[in-house]
């Protein structure tokens, strides 16, 4: 497994940091970690930090889309911290830049303004 | 209880009678106690035996389930039985022609496994043989229990020579043969043998043999269904790929497809197609359904036939992809999306006009004969997720020597360690292929990608090239 997952919850903001490769083999691991964060009812914002992600395929994209749909249905905000070019290209080709919320850094995202 | 004075002439008195009665009472209590103790002991042995049998059944079941190979399942069966209720056992396997095709054996003494199998394989019985117990069980489906095998029967059952000699060496005092049958399908017969000094087989042993053999049959049947499903999805996948492209005047078409394979047959999600939609134009498409396996194959079928049907009513690639988007929204599970690039091909006075629309898919590349190239179109929304995808059409004019190269992300995603094949290598390789035929371009690209990677392929790779020749 070439994915490392780190998570933290602070000031109503849940942060999931993904490092390595997000693909068919590693998506379940990311999914488990994210669902654990979603379980906390006090998190108004969920941040997916993809800056250290080296690779993402269509199953990774599916994971992000599902997370976004769940966030919407629970009145949460999902913010994606943009990954490197090869990762962001997947969002670009899927024309999702206008449909998902992207940020350049996790620190810039407020925790309580959801 | 009777007392006899043997030597003296003494007569019994009333006191003697009372004593005798007391002794008899005590003895009967002692006998009763002993009987109860014996019963309890036997019950405890039976219970221990039952627990051991259950344990072996569970372990054998687990071992069998771990294998998808017939030989692995039958070895787990014979090994399990021979650990507990017999000296040795043999599983006879029916072949596809209905005859007994093979035999697998195991012995309580691991050192004698080979002898059992040599004995069984020395002469595989004819399924019509009146003497063979295995053949009889396979024919009738009825189990056989012979507590004591008469010596003359052994000579009838075994083929003379090596088999009979080895059988005598192994011993053949008591035998059970049960069918390996489940869901109305007979896979073979299972024989269990005990030799002296073991007591003969009982009805209890027979039920255990039936249980364990049925368990093996279910596992074999599951393995068969699994293999059938795998080969079915492979067949389905092949049927989804066009066997040959239509003849498009002045355009040379080639495609390459390399599916991911994991543990034998495995279906990925890439698809492509080129077909005549109208006397005036042809439609080409390449796409990728997220996910793997039979469900992805079904989604590919949905995609391909939706596109073919939509193209009859609507020639604009963006509209065809919108129809595909709707089909995926309505007919698939949440977030089961696909990406596709659709092109309409029309002949023109100077070559061909191609109209390109992409939904979540890598944009195609227009490769000129001199190796220069342009990316065609703008990214469109991924298909099957949103009600209002943004999909655009982009028309380009190709002259003789120009080629449109369509591909799936398996090409650029291919990796060597942490390094990705990527867009730069993709462009570098294409630059050297400008003067090639459609087939040479597709082959050159595929070879470069496959040559680049070091590990196992991670995704399907599909490449579709359309080159204007005149």
């Amino acid at each position: 497994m070439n994915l490392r997952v780190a998570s933290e919850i602070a000031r109503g903001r849940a942060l999931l940091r993904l490092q390595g490769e997000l693909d068919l083999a590693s998506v379940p691991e990311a999914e488990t970690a994210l669902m654990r964060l979603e379980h906390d009812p006090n998190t108004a914002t969920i941040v997916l930090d993809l800056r250290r992600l080296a690779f993402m395929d269509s199953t990774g994209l599916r994971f992000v889309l599902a997370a976004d749909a769940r966030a919407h249905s629970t009145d949460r905000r999902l913010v994606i911290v943009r990954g490197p070019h090869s990762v962001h290209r997947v969002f670009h080709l899927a024309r999702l830049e206008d449909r998902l919320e992207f940020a350049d850094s996790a620190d810039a995202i407020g925790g309580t303004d959801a | 209880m009777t007392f006899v004075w043997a030597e003296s002439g003494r007569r019994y008195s009333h006191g003697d009678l009372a004593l005798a009665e007391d002794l008899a009472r005590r003895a009967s209590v002692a006998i009763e106690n002993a009987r109860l103790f014996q019963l309890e002991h036997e019950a405890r042995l039976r219970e221990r035996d039952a627990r051991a049998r259950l344990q072996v059944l569970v372990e054998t079941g687990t071992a069998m389930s771990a294998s998808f190979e017939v030989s692995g399942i039958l070895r787990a069966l014979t090994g399990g039985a021979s650990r507990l209720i017999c000296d040795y056992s043999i599983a006879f396997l029916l072949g596809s022609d209905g005859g007994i095709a093979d035999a697998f054996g195991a012995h309580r003494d691991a050192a004698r496994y080979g002898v059992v199998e040599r004995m069984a394989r020395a002469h595989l019985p004819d399924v019509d043989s009146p003497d063979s117990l295995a053949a009889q069980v396979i024919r009738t489906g009825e189990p056989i229990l012979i507590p004591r095998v008469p010596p003359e029967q052994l000579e009838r059952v075994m083929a003379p020579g090596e088999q009979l000699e080895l059988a005598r060496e192994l011993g053949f005092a008591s035998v059970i043969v049960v069918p390996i049958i489940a869901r109305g399908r007979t896979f073979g017969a299972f024989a269990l043998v005990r030799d002296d000094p073991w007591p003969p087989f009982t009805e209890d042993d027979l039920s255990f043999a039936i249980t364990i053999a049925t368990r093996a049959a279910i596992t074999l049947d599951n393995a068969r269904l699994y293999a059938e499903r795998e080969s079915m999805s492979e067949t389905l996948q092949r049927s989804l790929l066009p066997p040959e492209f239509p003849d498009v005047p002045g355009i040379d078409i080639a495609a390459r497809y390399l599916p991911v394979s994991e543990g034998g047959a495995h279906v990925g999600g890439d698809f492509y197609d080129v077909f005549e939609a109208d006397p005036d134009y042809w439609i080409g498409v390449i796409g990728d359904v997220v996910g793997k396996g039979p469900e992805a194959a079904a989604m590919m079928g949905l995609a391909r036939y939706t596109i073919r049907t939509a193209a009859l009513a609507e020639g604009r690639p963006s509209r065809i992809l919108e129809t595909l988007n709707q089909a995926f929204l309505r007919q698939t599970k949440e977030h089961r999306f696909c990406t596709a690039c659709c092109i309409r091909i029309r002949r023109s006075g100077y070559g061909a006009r191609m109209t390109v629309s992409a939904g979540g898919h890598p944009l195609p590349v227009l490769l000129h004969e001199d190796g220069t190239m342009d990316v065609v179109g703008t990214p469109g929304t991924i298909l099957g997720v949103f009600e209002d995808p943004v999909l655009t059409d982009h028309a380009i004019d190709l002259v003789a020597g120009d080629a449109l190269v369509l591909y799936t992300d398996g090409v650029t995603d291919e990796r060597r360690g942490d390094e990705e094949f990527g867009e730069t290598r993709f462009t570098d390789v294409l630059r050297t292929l400008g003067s090639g035929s459609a087939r040479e371009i597709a082959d050159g690209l595929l070879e470069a990608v496959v040559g680049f990677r070091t590990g196992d392929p991670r995704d399907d790779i599909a490449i579709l090239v359309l080159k204007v020749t005149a």
Side-chain angles (χ1 to χ4, degrees):
Chain A
M1 198 76 61
N2 296 319
L3 182 73
R4 275 173 46 194
V5 183
S7 59
E8 61 177 59
I9 296 183
R11 292 173 288 115
R13 197 189 70 175
L15 177 69
L16 191 72
R17 266 201 193 94
L18 302 177
Q19 183 180 347
E21 301 176 358
L22 187 61
D23 58 13
L24 191 65
S26 63
V27 156
E29 196 182 336
E31 200 114 66
T32 309
L34 179 61
M35 293 208 170
R36 210 173 288 139
L37 290 180
E38 289 171 349
H39 202 66
D40 186 333
N42 298 316
T43 53
T45 303
I46 290 167
V47 181
L48 292 180
D49 187 347
L50 307 185
R51 278 175 302 179
R52 305 188 71 180
L53 205 57
F55 176 81
M56 182 176 91
D57 70 1
S58 55
T59 48
L61 182 59
R62 189 180 178 199
F63 158 75
V64 175
L65 284 171
D68 187 60
R70 282 201 305 273
H72 275 279
S73 66
T74 51
D75 288 326
R76 284 167 161 144
R77 182 179 161 211
L78 183 105
V79 186
I80 299 156
V81 181
R82 230 182 291 270
H85 174 74
S86 66
V87 169
H88 195 70
R89 179 172 177 265
V90 179
F91 294 106
H92 175 69
L93 287 176
R95 209 181 171 114
L96 290 169
E97 284 154 310
D98 303 334
R99 296 184 193 257
L100 299 171
E101 188 179 346
F102 289 93
D104 285 317
S105 112
D107 302 327
I109 304 156
T112 50
D113 57 347
Chain B
M1 199 176 246
T2 311
F3 290 84
V4 178
W5 288 114
E7 288 166 22
S8 74
R10 197 185 144 188
R11 308 248 163 198
Y12 288 112
S13 67
H14 284 292
D16 290 330
L17 183 60
L19 180 66
E21 277 172 0
D22 188 42
L23 279 174
R25 256 199 315 275
R26 286 178 191 217
S28 77
V29 168
I31 290 166
E32 183 61 15
N33 280 348
R35 208 171 63 82
L36 282 175
F37 178 79
Q38 182 65 27
L39 281 176
E40 197 190 312
H41 182 65
E42 279 168 12
R44 222 183 278 141
L45 282 181
R46 268 203 305 277
E47 194 190 324
R48 204 177 62 186
D49 195 35
R51 267 209 305 274
R53 285 179 183 213
L54 189 63
Q55 178 75 14
V56 165
L57 195 60
V58 168
E59 283 172 17
T60 308
T62 310
M64 289 191 295
S65 308
S67 182
F68 281 110
E69 295 290 324
V70 169
S71 58
I73 294 166
L74 294 181
R75 284 193 194 287
L77 170 68
T78 52
S82 304
R83 266 174 50 205
L84 189 75
I85 66 159
C86 58
D87 281 307
Y88 62 97
S89 63
I90 301 162
F92 295 93
L93 177 70
L94 276 180
S96 50
D97 61 352
I100 294 173
D102 207 353
F104 301 89
H107 198 285
R108 206 151 55 94
D109 173 6
R112 302 179 80 185
Y113 264 52
V115 183
V116 174
E117 223 156 71
R118 208 163 79 232
M119 187 266 278
R121 289 176 172 172
H123 178 82
L124 291 173
D126 189 332
V127 82
D128 299 319
S129 156
D131 295 324
S132 160
L133 299 175
Q136 187 187 325
V137 163
I138 286 170
R139 284 198 309 271
T140 63
E142 294 295 324
I144 292 174
L145 163 62
I146 307 174
R148 283 267 160 226
V149 181
E152 66 275 13
Q153 187 169 18
L154 178 62
E155 280 164 32
R156 265 209 322 278
V157 167
M158 298 292 169
E162 189 186 11
Q163 188 169 56
L164 184 60
E165 279 162 33
L166 290 172
R168 285 202 173 113
E169 182 191 323
L170 288 163
F172 204 83
S174 183
V175 65
I176 282 174
V177 188
V178 295
I180 303 175
I181 185 169
R183 299 170 188 145
R185 193 177 285 266
T186 305
F187 293 91
F190 182 42
L192 303 89
V193 184
R194 275 182 189 176
D195 194 24
D196 299 317
W198 260 22
F201 281 121
T202 63
E203 289 289 333
D204 273 357
D205 299 321
L206 181 65
S207 3
F208 180 78
I210 291 171
T211 308
I212 200 167
T214 304
R215 185 71 191 263
I218 290 170
T219 314
L220 286 169
D221 199 41
N222 287 346
R224 180 189 65 82
L225 290 171
Y226 180 80
E228 241 171 43
R229 201 192 64 188
E230 286 291 290
S231 101
M232 228 166 68
S233 40
E234 204 184 39
T235 310
L236 177 60
Q237 164 125 17
R238 288 196 194 290
S239 74
L240 292 174
L241 298 176
E244 58 186 40
F245 292 126
D247 199 9
V248 184
I251 295 179
D252 178 21
I253 307 174
R256 288 293 174 269
Y257 176 61
L258 201 66
V260 181
S261 168
E262 266 169 39
H266 206 101
V267 164
D270 286 6
F271 62 94
Y272 59 84
D273 199 3
V274 180
F275 57 95
E276 186 181 322
D278 185 276
D280 265 352
Y281 60 81
W282 291 262
I283 295 290
V285 67
I286 191 163
D288 183 357
V289 175
V290 66
K292 298 273 175 285
E295 202 188 342
M299 292 299 105
M300 284 160 52
L302 173 67
R304 188 152 170 253
Y305 288 103
T306 302
I307 289 162
R308 284 212 169 208
T309 312
L312 294 177
E314 178 60 64
R316 271 161 60 199
S318 63
R319 297 304 301 268
I320 294 171
L321 292 183
E322 267 170 38
T323 309
L324 182 59
N325 184 62
Q326 279 300 319
F328 264 65
L329 273 174
R330 284 196 310 268
Q331 296 186 36
T332 68
K333 280 191 222 154
E334 218 182 345
H335 307 299
R336 173 67 76 173
F337 58 74
C338 82
T339 74
C341 180
C342 183
I343 49 168
R344 181 178 58 196
I345 307 146
R346 270 185 214 276
R347 291 290 300 155
S348 67
Y350 40 83
R353 163 163 281 222
M354 296 192 191
T355 307
V356 175
S357 185
H361 200 85
L363 298 172
V365 172
L366 172 59
L367 177 64
H368 304 288
E369 201 153 30
D370 63 1
T372 59
M373 69 197 82
D374 307 289
V375 174
V376 182
T378 43
T381 311
I382 197 157
L383 306 171
V385 182
F386 303 102
E387 289 286 347
D388 56 345
V390 178
L391 300 161
T392 55
D393 290 302
H394 192 92
I396 46 164
D397 291 313
L398 290 83
V399 296
D402 286 345
L404 192 68
V405 180
L406 300 103
Y407 62 101
T408 55
D409 58 9
V411 170
T412 42
D413 285 356
E414 200 56 80
R415 293 169 81 78
R416 176 164 65 199
D418 286 341
E419 218 179 339
E420 192 173 69
F421 188 76
E423 289 162 277
T424 311
R425 275 188 195 82
F426 175 72
T427 312
D428 289 347
V429 170
L430 277 189
R431 192 172 293 128
T432 65
L433 298 169
S435 59
S437 66
R439 192 177 56 78
E440 284 164 348
I441 295 170
D443 279 342
L445 185 55
L446 184 67
E447 276 164 29
V449 173
V450 171
F452 173 77
R453 79 169 171 229
T454 42
D456 292 331
R458 38 200 305 150
D459 200 358
D460 288 5
I461 294 171
I463 300 165
L464 176 63
V465 181
L466 303 116
K467 178 145 186 165
V468 179
T469 54

